[in-house]
Structure formats: structure tokens, C-alpha cells
Amino acid sequence: MALKGLDIFKLSPKKNCKDCGFPTCMAFSMKVAAGAAEISKCPHMSDEALAKLSDATAPPMKTLTIGKGENEYKLGGETVLFRHEKSLVNRNRFAVLFTDSMDDETVNNKIENIKKVDYIRIGEEMKVEIAALKYSGNKENYIKLINTVKNSEIKVAYMLICEDIDVLKEALEIVKGENPIVYGANKENYKEMVELVKADKLALGVKADNLEELYSLVEDIHKLGYKELILDPTSNNVKEAFTNAVQIRRIALKEGDRAFGYPSVVFANEIAKDDKYMEVAISSLFTVKYGSIIVLDDIDYSRALPLFALRQNIYTDPQRPMRVEPKIYPINNPDENSPVLVTVDFALTYFIIAGEIERSKVPMWLAIPDAGGYSVLTAWAAGKFGGSSISNFIKESGVSEQTKCRKLIIPGKVAVLKGDIEDNLPGWDVVIGTNEAMELPKFLRDFNEELRTAKA
Amino acid sequence: MAFKMSVQKYAGRISEVEIGTGEKALKLGGENVMPFYSFDGDCGNTPKMGVEILDVFPENWIEELKNLYKDVAQNSVEWAKFVEKEMKPDFICIKFVGADPNGLNRSAEECAQIAKDVVENIELPLVISGCGNFEKDAKVFEKVAAAVDGKNCLFLAAVEENYKAVGAAAGLAYPHKVGAESSVDINLAKQLNVLLNQLGVKEENIVMNVGCSAVGYGYEYVATTLDRIRLAAFGQNDKTLQMPIMAPVSSEAWSVKESVADVEDAPEWGCKEERGITMEISTASSMIVGGANAVILRHPKSLETMKKFVCELA
């Protein structure tokens, strides 16, 4: 349970020595309670008090690090139930499932698919981050499978799904250096499991038949002193899995109960029962609500495009609007005769405008100056999208070397800027575009037709 | 500590709105907890799935959908009957694309006749959606509301610019339901509800369309708007936000590049139809788990999947 400032003050040395950087012990205690200072900043705290406090002042949900090197990811660490309260911080990660009962072709196809689906969306890499390797009874094949995936050069973290300690020991040897997740601690094997992962502090996946048993299993594991856990709320039906995922998150964050203060792993592939479309629906559900690792049966673009896009939306900081990089974006393969259209760097505006230009099929250079990440009218009102900033950007971007066309289309809502831009950009003809994005395709097609006729 | 379920009780409840008549009439809303939080209380009526049809042939839709409807889509009545019989959604939404002044510019009288013919030939509840031009929609909705009198249709949607005309026609002169459309902002949603209410349209006759976008296209604003609207309705018992929400998913999901790019233009992306379906399913399931009480879909596979999804989740 979270401690109040006064509780912390009682345990403090009360010397007001300022060694912590705060004027008084009381001020320091209040900061620690608010989560704005670390208790370790006080060099005079007794070990006993420190132990008591570091436990009590730790965040309600643990942040785990899995994987190694470029495949290292953080899970958990969330502090709010809804993104508008602050922000969700560590995005869920997608995994693809492999088992030892799959034939070589299936395994290779999945590996190829993971390689294929790797792309950039608004400056971020979109790909499957975890290979989930499940033991289904054939040890020799399982070891072979792990080696195959490891040697395939796909860039992933590993999750070994195995409840058999002996098999797991051998499997772990292969990927030990990769900081894998070990999944499969249950009420029978948890002692050996903890023993196995303790030295390397590997994340341990915990499963039970229901929420209550999961809770007592975590308490048992806590008694062994182990706190690097990932909880499995999965049952084989959507309703129960959803209830459990929400309860785990809420019991941790709202009730402040650390037994459930861990990230989760959801086997969407199992709940969907070989129905790809259901898998998309279920994975969307757990992207919105509280899945930390979502396991898929396979990856392809029809799964990736919506799921990665949704995740990118949900895990953005609501206090910071999403922006795109200011630069010239070619759309529909423009050439030296294509006109230039300018709008703001607010990601939503960029996406809508880029989408409408694509829909129009008219080749176009889309100019995105730095407009502070605001929408057109807001940026204009804030002085971030005006005559001089637009014309300076057009000059500096070098777009005039990429096209001979000297037509610059501006958003209809800032039609007043026409004269200003023309004064600053000699030789350019400023054209007033549409007020609404949806009117763009027709406008651009007509405009393009006019350009062509004029030329002919 | 012993294990204990975390339960949250709220004072507020979403009103229950009925659309349509007879056995196939449907009810939206009625819940007093966040979507599918059955451990907190009453989840109300399960979310409903509608299928979109147009008053014109769907030229811009993907081939597979055009093929599905090729024998019926020249005639809205046949199209609606086909959807009712073959696809079995909870409701049908007819969108009067043909009324667009920049397009076919079909007259309000013509639209009214089409709506009347459709509603008389189906048993499912009918939702009526406009062309997006608020002046024209106001005229169209006025005539349509009279033509479908007694059928308890939902008019999606009244916007800030035309709410008086739409509200007066669909919510006052004739006893239909009014859809209040705002664009992804809790305050705008609230304001439009208040305005409609001041006009005399009762809360229980209003359904909200608080804005929708395909996943990846600013969906974060939609997700957060839904959360905030629902938390205000339940937690603060804000009466002006306690209306069910209907989300026009199809028009958003089927217009983004993930769904419209041809295979030749994006070969690595694979089958276009499949991409459209997954965009539609992902958006619809996110909307529903975010708080939408009904979604409008286009593809039979999306409909089938979403029905199964809701059935298993409820």
C-alpha cells in the first residue's frame, strides 16, 4: 500500500541535514510520497527503515525488462487505468507462437512472415517482438525448434513456454544470454521454476486455473523472494480472459495490491481457436485494455496493419500530440511537373491529407513545415503556420529543385495567407485549397486537369 | 492480503433507446458500468451490429462487395431485403449518398420515397444516414422523417449546423430517434445533447455519434473521448452524456489506405479484401470495448466475426 508523507517522515532521521537535496526531512518525505523523489536519496536512513520504505514506495506495477540488445523491451510499469489520466507508457508487444509439433514448413513460413512484416509507421518500427516457443511433448523437436528460430536471424526476444523443468533447463541453455521470458510456473512446479530463473532474474510467466489461485500462487512465489513475474489472465474464453485482465490491472493500480502488480501475457491465438478474424478482434480488445504481451498464431500484413496502428495510437502520450517529421513527402510518385501542397505537422492532419491525396491518385509533393504539432487553425492562431514560416520552409526544403511547377496549394482555412506567401515566394502561384480534407480528391483531380490543359 | 475482486459502483446509467418496431425492434444502452465490466454491475443490452447500404450503386466499394450485391444494389429495397435475409444484422443503415449536391443531387422527395419503400419491405430497424452536406441533409431528413412516420427510425446524424431542423423533424414532429454527431470531443458531444434537449428532444430519444476513426488514424482521440464520456456518464452521473453511442465504423475503415491500396500498389500487403476486413474488425472491436453500443459495418465477414465476438464477450 502507498505510504503518506507523514508515515515516511516518521521513519526518516529527522535531522534536516539537506543531504537529500531538500530543505527538511518533512519536505523530502512529502516528495517521496508523491513519487517525485527516490527514498535512496537520503543517506542516513536506517537499513530497516529503508527496506520498509523502498517496498512501500515502489510503483504499484513492476517494470520488467525482457530480451537483449536491440531486442530488449520493457513491459508493465503502468500507473493509470485510462490513458487520459496521464499516459500509458510501455506498449504491449506482439508474439508469434511456435511449437515442437509444427512441421518444418510451418515453422519456416512463420519465420519468413516475421521477417516480411517489418516496416516503419510514423517513425516507429512495426514488427513482431517476441517468438513464443511452446513445448508440446517432443523434447528433441523442441530443442531443434529453438535452434532453428535462433539461427533464423529474426530479431526477436524469446519466450519459452514449458512446464517441464528438465526440458526447460536444456532449452534455456540455448537462449540464456538473450534474457528470455520463461513461462509456465504453476502451483506444482513453481519452486523449481523460481530456482531455475533466479540467478539470471528472468521474467517468469505464472499461470493458474482462475484469478484466485493465480493470486495465491503469486503470494507463494513472493515468499520465495521472487518478483520478476508476468501474469497470465488467459482462460479459453474471451469473457473470462477480459474480466481477469481488467481485474489484475485494477487490483494492482486502484487497490494498490502488488500481488497483481505485474504485466500480463494474453494468448489471443488460443482464445480465438484458429479463427484469424477473431484473433484480430481479441488482440484489438487486449491492446485497448491491458494486455502486455499478446500472442498471435502468425503474422501477416492484414493482422499487422490494424493491430500495430491501434497500438501506436493507444500508447501515445495524450499530453503531447503526435507529430510527423517536417519534410517534403512525395505522394503518388510526383515528378518535376507536380504541384506542391502544404499542411501542418500534426500527425492526424498529415494522415488525413496524405490519405486523400492518395485517393485522388494525383501525383503531388506534400510539404510539411514545423507547425508545432497543431491543427491548421490552431497552428495559424499560435503563429506557427504563417506566411513567412511557410515560404521559408518551401525555400529551405529544396522542393523547388524537385519540381518545376510553381503552384503551391494551401489549406482553405488559411486563405488569408495567400498574399503574404506570394510576397515572400517570388515566382510562386499560391492556390487556395479546400476547407475540408474530404473535398480534396475532387479538387485535386480538377486542378490537375486544369494544369494539364493549360500546358497543352 | 486475501484476494478480493475490485468492484466499482457508479451512480449513472446509460438510457435505453429503442429503434424500430415489432419483434425486430432493438434496444441500445441501459448499462451502468464500463463496457463488458459485468463484475461491476449491469451491462445492459449487448452491442448491436448494423450493415450499411446506399441509395445508389456502391461504385467505390471493393469488387468483392460489389459482386456480393451486384444483383440487388441497383435498387435499395432489393438490397435491404437481401441484407436482412442473407446477412441477418441487428439493423440496416441506409446512407443517402445520392443526395450529395456535388454528386447525383437527388431530391429530398426522391430520398423520402426510397426510405419509405425500404422501411416497408423489411422488418429490421432502419437507421437513416445522410450525404454529409448538412444543409442538404436537413432537407432530406425532414422529408424522410415524414415518409417513414410510425417506423421509429434513427436519423444519423444531426450536427451542430443543422440540429434544429433535424431535431424538429425527426425528434419532435415525428416520433423517431435523433443521432447527435460531434467530432471527437467530450464537450462538443455534451453541448449538442444539451442543444437538442433545449429544442425539446428528450434524452431517451437521442443516440450519440461522438466521432469514429479507423485504427491508426487518430484513434487515440476517439479512445480517450469514449473513456471520458463514459466515465462522466457513470462516475459523475452526467445526464447530458447518458445516451447510447452508435459508431459508423464502415465508412472510416474502408477509406484508409490500408483498405483501399490495390495489390499492385502495395504488393507486400497482400489481399485487399482481407486488409479491409481486419481494419473494420479491429476498429469495430476497439469501438465496442471503448463504449459504442452499436457499430455499422460493411463486410459480411466483419459482421459474422463481430457478432461472435460480442456474444462471447457479453
Side-chain angles (χ1 to χ4, degrees):
Chain A
M1 279 301 192
L3 283 185
K4 294 198 179 67
L6 266 182
D7 303 327
I8 299 169
F9 179 67
K10 278 178 200 154
L11 294 165
S12 78
K14 305 190 195 70
K15 287 160 51 173
N16 295 339
C17 66
K18 303 186 182 60
D19 288 352
C20 58
F22 292 91
T24 62
C25 288
M26 187 65 197
F28 175 64
S29 302
M30 299 308 277
K31 283 286 175 197
V32 173
E38 293 271 331
I39 190 70
S40 56
K41 283 267 191 285
C42 172
H44 311 292
M45 201 70 88
S46 73
D47 285 347
E48 192 196 341
L50 210 55
K52 207 169 167 182
L53 281 169
S54 59
D55 234 21
T57 54
M61 185 186 193
K62 205 169 162 80
T63 307
L64 299 186
T65 306
I66 59 153
K68 258 272 148 59
E70 60 177 330
N71 305 310
E72 184 181 296
Y73 302 107
K74 285 201 179 343
L75 299 173
E78 300 299 343
T79 57
V80 293
L81 290 168
F82 298 96
R83 62 186 291 281
H84 67 269
E85 295 172 293
K86 193 168 180 197
S87 175
L88 301 175
V89 287
N90 288 314
R91 61 183 52 192
N92 61 287
R93 300 295 172 179
F94 289 103
V96 162
L97 191 91
F98 296 84
T99 80
D100 53 89
S101 57
M102 285 170 187
D103 56 34
D104 290 352
E105 199 190 335
T106 313
V107 170
N108 289 332
N109 282 343
K110 290 191 191 209
I111 290 173
E112 283 312 307
N113 286 344
I114 291 177
K115 281 185 189 164
K116 237 184 268 173
V117 180
D118 184 351
Y119 57 102
I120 304 286
R121 188 177 199 276
I122 334 181
E124 286 172 359
E125 190 172 18
M126 305 279 138
K127 66 187 202 46
V128 162
E129 290 103 350
I130 299 168
L133 305 158
K134 185 175 179 176
Y135 175 63
S136 64
N138 186 325
K139 182 172 156 188
E140 202 180 312
N141 281 358
Y142 189 53
I143 300 299
K144 188 176 142 220
L145 170 75
I146 301 172
N147 277 310
T148 307
V149 173
K150 187 164 183 257
N151 296 331
S152 70
E153 295 181 341
I154 47 173
K155 297 188 193 95
V156 286
Y158 301 92
M159 176 160 68
L160 300 178
I161 303 173
C162 177
E163 292 166 46
D164 184 317
I165 300 289
D166 293 327
V167 177
L168 196 52
K169 270 184 188 153
E170 231 172 289
L172 207 48
E173 283 307 315
I174 310 171
V175 289
K176 210 167 181 178
E178 304 286 331
N179 194 24
I181 301 163
V182 173
Y183 171 97
N186 57 38
K187 60 177 187 263
E188 275 85 37
N189 70 7
Y190 75 93
K191 284 182 184 145
E192 291 101 321
M193 279 282 194
V194 170
E195 203 52 48
L196 196 61
V197 297
K198 212 155 125 186
D200 296 315
K201 285 186 88 177
L202 302 178
L204 180 63
V206 184
K207 60 179 281 192
D209 289 339
N210 57 52
L211 217 48
E212 204 166 345
E213 283 185 20
L214 184 65
Y215 188 92
S216 60
L217 181 53
V218 172
E219 285 194 314
D220 288 341
I221 295 174
H222 277 179
K223 279 178 202 145
L224 300 176
Y226 206 65
K227 291 189 173 173
E228 305 288 321
L229 308 178
I230 297 178
L231 309 182
D232 179 3
T234 314
S235 89
N236 52 15
N237 82 71
V238 188
K239 184 184 165 87
E240 200 182 315
F242 176 68
T243 296
N244 294 352
V246 172
Q247 281 295 327
I248 288 175
R249 187 64 59 93
R250 210 201 242 173
I251 287 171
L253 298 188
K254 190 165 154 271
E255 316 297 342
D257 185 341
R258 291 210 178 78
F260 275 170
Y262 296 102
S264 62
V265 52
V266 178
F267 290 89
N269 62 325
E270 284 174 17
I271 316 175
K273 300 181 182 74
D274 290 327
D275 179 340
K276 179 183 157 179
Y277 297 110
M278 267 301 267
E279 191 181 87
V280 170
I282 291 166
S283 303
S284 303
L285 163 73
F286 287 108
T287 299
V288 176
K289 288 260 162 93
Y290 312 145
S292 306
I293 295 174
I294 297 176
V295 184
L296 305 171
D297 181 48
D298 201 352
I299 192 70
D300 55 33
Y301 274 94
S302 66
R303 286 177 172 98
L305 294 171
L307 292 180
F308 289 143
L310 173 63
R311 176 181 75 177
Q312 195 175 32
N313 280 166
I314 297 296
Y315 286 89
T316 51
D317 185 344
Q319 290 140 48
R320 265 188 312 180
M322 267 209 308
R323 295 174 62 181
V324 291
E325 188 194 340
K327 65 174 194 185
I328 304 289
Y329 293 82
I331 301 183
N332 300 332
N333 301 315
D335 57 22
E336 53 171 28
N337 297 313
S338 308
V340 183
L341 187 143
V342 66
T343 190
V344 292
D345 57 346
F346 179 40
L348 195 50
T349 306
Y350 166 80
F351 267 117
I352 292 168
I353 298 296
E356 295 297 346
I357 299 176
E358 276 169 21
R359 215 153 62 87
S360 77
K361 298 208 158 65
V362 177
M364 186 78 53
W365 298 99
L366 178 58
I368 305 288
D370 181 350
Y374 298 117
S375 66
V376 170
L377 277 180
T378 318
W380 173 70
K384 306 240 179 218
F385 191 61
S388 55
S389 66
I390 293 174
S391 32
N392 284 343
F393 178 74
I394 295 295
K395 281 181 210 159
E396 285 157 18
S397 65
V399 69
S400 46
E401 279 110 63
Q402 280 163 304
T403 176
K404 287 186 291 195
C405 181
R406 288 293 176 264
K407 302 271 184 199
L408 177 67
I409 304 167
I410 63 170
K413 284 184 173 153
V414 289
V416 292
L417 296 177
K418 180 177 158 73
D420 208 3
I421 300 174
E422 280 177 343
D423 289 346
N424 284 311
L425 269 187
W428 281 78
D429 180 17
V430 174
V431 180
I432 295 165
T434 62
N435 274 322
E436 299 297 333
M438 60 181 281
E439 297 156 9
L440 256 185
K442 187 178 181 307
F443 174 86
L444 292 180
R445 279 194 292 264
D446 292 350
F447 179 76
N448 199 39
E449 201 49 50
E450 258 174 59
L451 270 186
R452 234 184 285 167
T453 339
K455 234 182 146 193
Chain B
M1 278 171 125
F3 170 76
K4 210 173 118 236
M5 289 287 270
S6 174
V7 177
Q8 174 84 53
K9 290 286 170 210
Y10 294 113
R13 180 182 285 274
I14 304 304
S15 61
E16 197 168 71
V17 177
E18 190 168 307
I19 304 168
T21 57
E23 275 181 25
K24 295 277 170 74
L26 62 83
K27 282 186 182 141
L28 300 180
E31 71 272 28
N32 68 353
V33 294
M34 293 298 276
F36 305 103
Y37 281 31
S38 51
F39 38 85
D40 284 342
D42 181 3
C43 289
N45 298 290
T46 54
K48 301 293 185 283
M49 311 294 146
V51 164
E52 178 186 26
I53 68 169
L54 307 179
D55 67 326
V56 295
F57 188 81
E59 276 316 326
N60 296 328
W61 290 14
I62 60 163
E63 287 306 316
E64 289 77 6
L65 281 168
K66 278 197 276 197
N67 285 338
L68 175 71
Y69 296 133
K70 67 179 188 303
D71 298 329
V72 294
Q74 297 293 352
N75 178 317
S76 303
V77 176
E78 294 307 314
W79 192 351
K81 279 159 70 177
F82 177 86
V83 167
E84 176 169 274
K85 184 162 170 277
E86 304 295 327
M87 293 167 68
K88 303 186 175 57
D90 297 311
F91 64 94
I92 292 176
C93 173
I94 182 165
K95 191 171 167 67
F96 282 98
V97 174
D100 189 347
N102 292 317
L104 212 52
N105 200 16
R106 174 170 273 157
S107 74
E109 287 74 16
E110 253 182 289
C111 295
Q113 190 58 48
I114 292 171
K116 188 171 156 57
D117 291 344
V118 168
V119 84
E120 281 173 357
N121 278 283
I122 57 170
E123 285 174 46
L124 286 175
L126 187 65
V127 171
I128 289 148
S129 166
C131 65
N133 177 309
F134 65 84
E135 284 172 28
K136 184 63 184 283
D137 280 348
K139 288 181 195 141
V140 170
F141 287 165
E142 204 182 319
K143 294 285 176 200
V144 173
V148 298
D149 186 19
K151 295 293 186 179
N152 194 22
C153 297
L154 168 66
F155 286 75
L156 206 68
V159 291
E160 204 182 335
E161 289 88 351
N162 68 10
Y163 79 92
K164 279 187 185 159
V166 179
L172 298 176
Y174 302 94
H176 295 298
K177 301 296 183 281
V178 181
E181 178 181 345
S182 51
S183 50
V184 202
D185 183 306
I186 182 172
N187 294 313
L188 293 179
K190 196 176 154 84
Q191 179 185 319
L192 189 54
N193 291 340
V194 170
L195 289 173
L196 277 168
N197 207 237
Q198 284 169 352
L199 189 70
V201 183
K202 294 202 177 75
E203 279 109 347
E204 61 266 31
N205 292 328
I206 300 174
V207 171
M208 293 188 279
N209 166 11
V210 298
C212 176
S213 76
V215 289
Y217 289 82
Y219 187 79
E220 67 270 33
Y221 298 95
V222 178
T224 283
T225 302
L226 288 172
D227 283 344
R228 292 187 59 206
I229 286 179
R230 278 321 184 220
L231 289 170
F234 298 131
Q236 295 154 28
N237 202 4
D238 187 337
K239 302 266 182 245
T240 63
L241 288 168
Q242 289 171 348
M243 293 84 174
I245 293 171
M246 181 176 285
V249 166
S250 55
S251 46
E252 300 293 333
W254 290 96
S255 64
V256 296
K257 69 173 177 229
E258 284 81 350
S259 326
V260 303
D262 289 323
V263 178
E264 302 86 77
D265 295 336
E268 72 281 8
W269 281 6
C271 175
K272 177 164 146 181
E273 182 183 18
E274 199 144 310
R275 280 184 264 130
I277 297 171
T278 55
M279 283 303 284
E280 184 162 47
I281 289 174
S282 184
T283 305
S285 42
S286 303
M287 288 301 295
I288 284 176
V289 75
N293 302 83
V295 289
I296 299 167
L297 305 166
R298 200 174 277 179
H299 199 285
K301 193 75 207 176
S302 314
L303 176 72
E304 181 196 319
T305 307
M306 291 313 298
K307 275 167 126 177
K308 191 171 155 196
F309 176 72
V310 163
C311 177
E312 290 185 17
L313 186 54

